[in-house]
Amino acid sequence: APGLGLVVAGDTGTGRTVLCLQIAAAALDRGERAVFLTSEPAEILLRQAESLGLELLSGLSIGRLLLLELLPDSATVMRAHGAGPLLEALGEEAPDAEWLIIDPLTALTSDLLDERPLRDTVGRLLSGYREGQHIVAAADTEMLRRHPALERALSDACGSLIHLRRDEDGLRQATVLKS
């Protein structure tokens, strides 16, 4: 639902990014606009989307998709300034985007060690920058295991929480932990 963030948590290789790409492609297919913040190089994401049969390039070319790479020091900047400046910049860059996809959110929060600023930042990010925006955030479960306060903040701030994993046969499984 708009305004209630969806968090997709899982270890590396469980399909967090694939699910985020599928959500972006589905939004574009419906004529909606999306902002995709990523720690991956854009070329790699676009290649991955193409290999999955997902059409993102046309969305980029007509301005319906804004693909932004997070800088390596994004977590440090987030610690120093909070989520406000990032959300304001996104609002200026893509004011009418219906979707905000952050993959992974943990790349922005890894330097936030105190629970109060962590909760504030996570809450702001999972609220988006405009009324009624759909938010999807991927989270690395290894980071969540090392940082229980982050796991609590994500669980408290999100509308839905899905955990992805691979079973012993390598098949992907999703468990809804909160809805």
Side-chain angles (χ1 to χ4, degrees):
L4 294 175
L6 164 65
V7 174
V8 179
D11 290 330
T12 301
T14 56
R16 295 183 322 250
T17 299
V18 169
L19 184 55
C20 289
L21 290 169
Q22 290 170 327
I23 290 168
L28 294 173
D29 285 347
R30 289 189 304 273
E32 298 171 340
R33 298 183 193 289
V35 174
F36 198 120
L37 291 177
T38 179
S39 60
E40 295 287 329
E43 327 63 73
I44 291 174
L45 272 185
L46 292 171
R47 212 169 325 137
Q48 184 177 13
E50 184 179 17
S51 73
L52 295 166
L54 302 173
E55 177 51 51
L56 298 183
L57 282 175
S58 62
L60 275 173
S61 66
I62 62 172
R64 287 197 187 274
L65 175 64
L66 182 60
L67 187 57
L68 300 170
E69 294 177 40
L70 295 169
L71 298 173
D73 68 344
S74 294
T76 303
V77 172
M78 192 67 54
R79 185 183 73 227
H81 303 287
L86 172 63
L87 294 171
E88 288 170 23
L90 292 173
E92 290 172 12
E93 192 72 28
D96 55 353
E98 291 93 349
W99 290 85
L100 173 59
I101 301 167
I102 307 170
D103 180 26
L105 180 86
T106 44
L108 291 171
T109 59
S110 62
D111 282 2
L112 294 168
L113 303 177
D114 295 329
E115 193 154 349
R116 185 178 227 194
L118 177 64
R119 284 183 170 280
D120 179 58
T121 299
V122 167
R124 295 274 318 268
L125 290 170
L126 290 180
S127 296
Y129 60 85
R130 65 179 283 265
E131 185 79 25
Q133 192 169 46
H134 300 276
I135 315 299
V136 178
D140 180 355
T141 52
E142 179 58 35
M143 174 71 82
L144 298 179
R145 281 192 282 279
R146 287 186 277 141
H147 201 347
L150 175 57
E151 184 173 22
R152 286 190 303 273
L154 283 172
S155 181
D156 290 348
C158 73
S160 299
L161 176 60
I162 298 173
H163 182 256
L164 302 177
R165 68 178 190 86
R166 287 192 181 262
D167 67 14
E168 60 275 353
D169 297 322
L171 298 174
R172 291 186 174 119
Q173 296 185 341
T175 305
V176 177
L177 301 177
K178 179 181 177 183
S179 66

